[in-house]
Amino acid sequence: MGTFGGPPTLVGVDAPEMPYGSWPTPVTSELVVRSKRTPTGVALDGGDVWWSESRPEEGGRNVVRRQWADGTVTDVLAAPWNARSAVHEYGGGAWWVSGDVLWFTDWASQRVHRVDTSTTTTGTEPVALTPQPAVGRGLRYADGDVSPDGTTILCVREQHGEGEVVNTIVRFAAAVPSVPEVVVDGPDFVSDPRWSPDGSSWCWLEWDHPDMPWDATRLVVGTGRSRVVAAGADTRESVGQPTWAPDGSLWFVSDRSGFGSLHRWTSGGGREVVVDVGEDIGSPQWTFGESCFAVLDGGLVAFRSTRDGLDRLAVRRPDGGVVDADLPYTSMTQLRADGTRLAFVAASPTTEPHVVHVTVDRSGRVGAPVIVMAPRDLGIDAPWFSRPEPIDFPTGDGDVAHAVYYAPANPEVRAPAGERPPLIVVIHGGPTSAARVLLNLSYQYWTTRGIAVVDVNYRGSSGYGRAYREKLAGAWGVADVEDCAAVCRFLVDRGDVDPERLCIRGGSAGGFTALAALAFQDVFSAGASLYGVADLAALARDTHKFESRYLDGLVGPWPAARAVYEARSPIFHVDRIDRPLVVFQGLEDEVVPPNQSEMIVEAVRAKGVPVAYVAFPGEQHGFRQAATIRAALDGELSFYAQVLGFSLPGSEDITRLPVDNL
């Protein structure tokens, strides 16, 4: 364990003394969203670097950009085009390129469009390739791949209408509008259709209810007749990111060994393990198009693995040796290769996610990173940023859980002697996901004000091997809640935080854990739920297809395990919630419908407990609009200030959030 991001924050002896929570800070909600353009995908093609970025100031529109060989950068998609897929609701894999052509799924219609940028760049009018569905947005596309000869696209299609949602792989013409032909159907879910190098066949992943893709998947190769080459009916193995090498071998990630490792399959020799470093390579497939490894020239393969919540990059040589890259990053995603170049999204404790590329020589050594899409210039010196500290702490059943702790940091203020700061416990979504170590300005929003933050990788989080992830099997609402309370006790005993001002917050699945912690633990003083689950049974009945059987593994089969669902659902235990609560909810959320939040708010309000509710029209699952993000952050701060009893800095114009029963 250790700390990152430079030396400790030094405070001058003449700095004014101010209570925790009330410190003035340059990290305002306006700064959090100002020109924040988060990269969401990367591609290398023909010497150019392509990437997509989400722009809160444009309502969360996803724009595809291109850096040409001469360094010029252009927006390939002008407003209102939005490269974003709704397949599985979480999307991903919404665009792909070959030559000078971009294909993308537009958010408004979910149809695949084509843009030829060989002669013009910004503002080129896209041409729709897939037909208009009978039901608006009824045919959704993601995760496309262009055939080696450039004529045909393989793509995941999700069909909505009457009855069950149907997921298939389709094939259609790459240059002219046509009716897609279904080439893979039958499994409940499919992903990663990828052409072989000679175009004679393709591969794909498939899985069925009640499994999620991190539980058990099958890797299949074929055209007419198909062949399962990894996993099978009796094998509990998660396979991900199938990638063809130029020699016709098929590489993929498998957790058969207990950790994500790299495997290789050939038609004549079967499969073999090629990289197993005893730590996870890759992460759960929540969205399409993720990439944790990439094949380079000369038989080299670059890959990202995770240790103690921190990412590292390494390169496997053809002789089996592994060369670690010495790069200043703790988070690396979307690895893409072209020849000897590798591009990816990088971040560190002092830099937000941005796009870089590196060159890899024949020995596997990685050169210095070249910035393509620079991180924002925040105009803030490093002493303002809290240094993340990975911690391990004891929890239930004699286990050890993990977290990342951020202490308050502000070089212009001193805390009163003997006072300890409030703590916000942050729970990641999923719950099969993880806290990442990078500069998250929304965390610094709290720490620069004198409020500590701990980001919990509770039992069930990814990045610590399959066995750790499966500790949440049948235990959601128990193990995660227990770990959130345990990390508080650990930090209180260490002297870091105030035991009387412990708050908990989370979004989506994290919102459920926050609500459950308020109901079933007595350590917390207040809580915040962002589009969180209040009724597990309602979620099991009403959620979208991708997650419709997710709770079978986390809680139990529905409706057979009805009693367990009710025992863990906060909505049935509102009588135990006697601490203040604030809830934020998007009104167009298809993953956690608004009625989930409204039920818990009404029940808490009726009980006489301080509660606030803020609903946002036009927002889906996860807030994307700048105004929403600002309102949620400032509203949560106002809520904590009122219920914990600290004043807000006079330099900021933060509207007082109405709180009932206060």
Side-chain angles (χ1 to χ4, degrees), residues 45-386:
D45 190 80
D48 297 345
V49 184
W50 301 63
W51 71 95
S52 55
E53 57 188 39
S54 176
R55 297 178 176 175
E57 74 274 17
E58 297 184 38
R61 185 171 78 95
N62 279 359
V63 182
V64 178
R65 311 194 77 196
R66 179 181 186 178
Q67 184 189 64
W68 299 73
D70 64 2
T72 302
V73 175
T74 57
D75 286 1
V76 181
L77 295 182
W81 297 104
N82 184 355
R84 182 178 163 208
S85 172
V87 179
H88 293 180
E89 299 301 333
Y90 295 105
W95 61 275
W96 51 97
V97 298
S98 181
D100 290 308
V101 179
L102 165 72
W103 293 267
F104 72 99
T105 298
D106 182 56
W107 175 249
S109 68
Q110 290 298 294
R111 299 169 70 186
V112 175
H113 291 69
R114 181 181 189 273
V115 180
D116 187 340
T117 65
S118 58
T119 56
T120 57
T121 55
T122 306
T124 303
E125 191 67 15
V127 175
L129 295 184
T130 57
Q132 179 70 44
V135 177
R137 303 175 90 238
L139 296 175
R140 306 174 180 183
Y141 299 86
D143 214 12
D145 191 44
V146 186
S147 60
D149 64 6
T151 64
T152 311
I153 289 175
L154 289 171
C155 198
V156 173
R157 185 178 73 181
E158 185 173 85
Q159 183 173 349
H160 292 247
E162 296 183 3
E164 176 78 9
V165 172
V166 178
N167 295 75
T168 57
I169 294 175
V170 296
R171 175 173 57 187
F172 55 91
V176 296
S178 61
V179 177
E181 170 196 3
V182 176
V183 294
V184 177
D185 64 355
D188 289 327
F189 301 98
V190 289
S191 73
D192 294 85
R194 300 292 183 262
W195 291 96
S196 63
D198 63 3
S200 63
S201 63
W202 56 79
C203 68
W204 67 92
L205 294 175
E206 61 182 41
W207 67 97
D208 298 302
H209 284 314
D211 288 323
M212 299 298 286
W214 46 86
D215 294 324
T217 54
R218 301 179 293 275
L219 174 56
V220 188
V221 173
T223 48
R225 298 180 61 187
S226 60
R227 175 183 179 186
V228 176
V229 302
D234 300 322
T235 304
R236 300 295 293 171
E237 175 184 11
S238 175
V239 176
Q241 200 198 318
T243 302
W244 295 95
D247 63 3
S249 62
L250 182 59
W251 291 62
F252 56 93
V253 177
S254 166
D255 65 358
R256 174 181 284 188
S257 70
F259 289 90
S261 55
L262 286 182
H263 293 233
R264 177 173 55 198
W265 173 85
T266 58
S267 59
R271 65 180 287 181
E272 61 176 329
V273 180
V274 285
V275 178
D276 188 348
V277 292
E279 53 196 46
D280 275 335
I281 298 173
S283 52
Q285 184 183 308
W286 276 103
T287 58
F288 295 99
E290 296 296 322
S291 180
C292 62
F293 75 92
V295 179
L296 296 136
D297 282 353
L300 299 170
V301 177
F303 65 91
R304 180 208 79 209
S305 62
T306 304
R307 179 188 302 160
D308 295 328
L310 310 175
D311 288 347
R312 69 182 184 98
L313 182 71
V315 178
R316 180 195 184 271
R317 299 192 304 253
D319 63 6
V322 173
V323 180
D324 287 330
D326 183 17
L327 296 176
Y329 307 122
T330 53
S331 175
M332 288 168 279
T333 60
Q334 291 286 328
L335 273 64
R336 308 291 179 183
D338 184 9
T340 61
R341 283 203 307 165
L342 179 72
F344 51 92
V345 176
S348 77
T350 56
T351 54
E352 293 180 311
H354 56 290
V355 180
V356 304
H357 71 81
V358 297
T359 300
V360 183
D361 68 19
R362 293 181 180 180
S363 69
R365 288 178 298 185
V366 176
V370 176
I371 295 177
V372 179
M373 171 200 171
R376 288 186 293 173
D377 180 3
L378 300 170
I380 300 175
D381 294 333
W384 283 95
F385 297 139
S386 175

Side-chain angles (χ1 to χ4, degrees), residues 290-638:
E290 296 296 322
S291 180
C292 62
F293 75 92
V295 179
L296 296 136
D297 282 353
L300 299 170
V301 177
F303 65 91
R304 180 208 79 209
S305 62
T306 304
R307 179 188 302 160
D308 295 328
L310 310 175
D311 288 347
R312 69 182 184 98
L313 182 71
V315 178
R316 180 195 184 271
R317 299 192 304 253
D319 63 6
V322 173
V323 180
D324 287 330
D326 183 17
L327 296 176
Y329 307 122
T330 53
S331 175
M332 288 168 279
T333 60
Q334 291 286 328
L335 273 64
R336 308 291 179 183
D338 184 9
T340 61
R341 283 203 307 165
L342 179 72
F344 51 92
V345 176
S348 77
T350 56
T351 54
E352 293 180 311
H354 56 290
V355 180
V356 304
H357 71 81
V358 297
T359 300
V360 183
D361 68 19
R362 293 181 180 180
S363 69
R365 288 178 298 185
V366 176
V370 176
I371 295 177
V372 179
M373 171 200 171
R376 288 186 293 173
D377 180 3
L378 300 170
I380 300 175
D381 294 333
W384 283 95
F385 297 139
S386 175
R387 301 176 304 149
E389 178 195 357
I391 59 175
D392 301 329
F393 58 92
T395 188
D397 299 324
D399 269 335
V400 172
H402 313 284
V404 181
Y405 175 65
Y406 298 83
N410 187 314
E412 297 183 357
V413 177
R414 289 185 298 116
E419 182 180 347
R420 288 190 280 178
L423 173 70
I424 296 178
V425 177
V426 177
I427 311 114
H428 61 70
T432 310
S433 186
R436 310 299 300 173
V437 178
L438 49 82
L439 178 60
N440 185 332
L441 214 58
S442 62
Y443 289 4
Q444 308 297 328
Y445 176 90
W446 303 110
T447 57
T448 56
R449 297 169 190 276
I451 301 174
V453 172
V454 64
D455 206 349
V456 187
N457 275 325
Y458 49 79
R459 287 169 291 174
S461 301
S462 57
Y464 300 90
R466 181 165 184 137
Y468 188 78
R469 191 176 72 238
E470 291 184 337
K471 288 181 182 292
L472 203 62
W476 191 31
V478 178
D480 50 324
V481 171
E482 191 171 42
D483 293 352
C484 289
V487 76
C488 288
R489 287 190 289 268
F490 175 82
L491 292 171
V492 167
D493 291 345
R494 215 173 65 163
D496 292 273
V497 298
D498 184 349
E500 302 301 321
R501 293 187 291 175
L502 304 173
C503 305
I504 187 166
R505 75 183 304 271
S508 189
F512 162 74
T513 300
L515 293 171
L518 291 175
F520 303 123
Q521 295 285 336
D522 60 3
V523 302
F524 296 102
S525 306
S529 169
L530 292 83
Y531 39 88
V533 178
D535 184 351
L536 291 174
L539 181 66
R541 292 192 304 264
D542 299 337
T543 197
H544 56 106
K545 180 185 176 183
F546 179 62
E547 290 186 281
S548 61
R549 300 289 300 278
Y550 187 20
L551 300 192
D552 282 25
L554 294 173
V555 182
W558 173 261
R562 180 188 298 270
V564 179
Y565 279 71
E566 293 184 357
R568 297 187 190 170
S569 294
I571 192 64
F572 294 107
H573 304 280
V574 176
D575 59 307
R576 299 185 181 185
I577 299 179
D578 57 4
R579 304 301 169 91
L581 172 68
V582 62
V583 176
F584 302 94
Q585 175 70 45
L587 293 180
E588 295 183 11
D589 194 332
E590 296 290 340
V591 179
V592 177
N595 68 312
Q596 289 268 309
S597 290
E598 292 161 2
M599 285 190 299
I600 197 75
V601 167
E602 288 304 317
V604 173
R605 180 184 290 123
K607 190 171 180 285
V609 174
V611 64
Y613 178 57
V614 184
F616 298 106
E619 285 287 5
Q620 294 92 39
H621 194 67
F623 300 150
R624 292 176 172 83
Q625 300 177 35
T628 301
I629 297 169
R630 289 197 63 188
L633 266 176
D634 288 344
E636 189 175 349
L637 173 63
S638 173

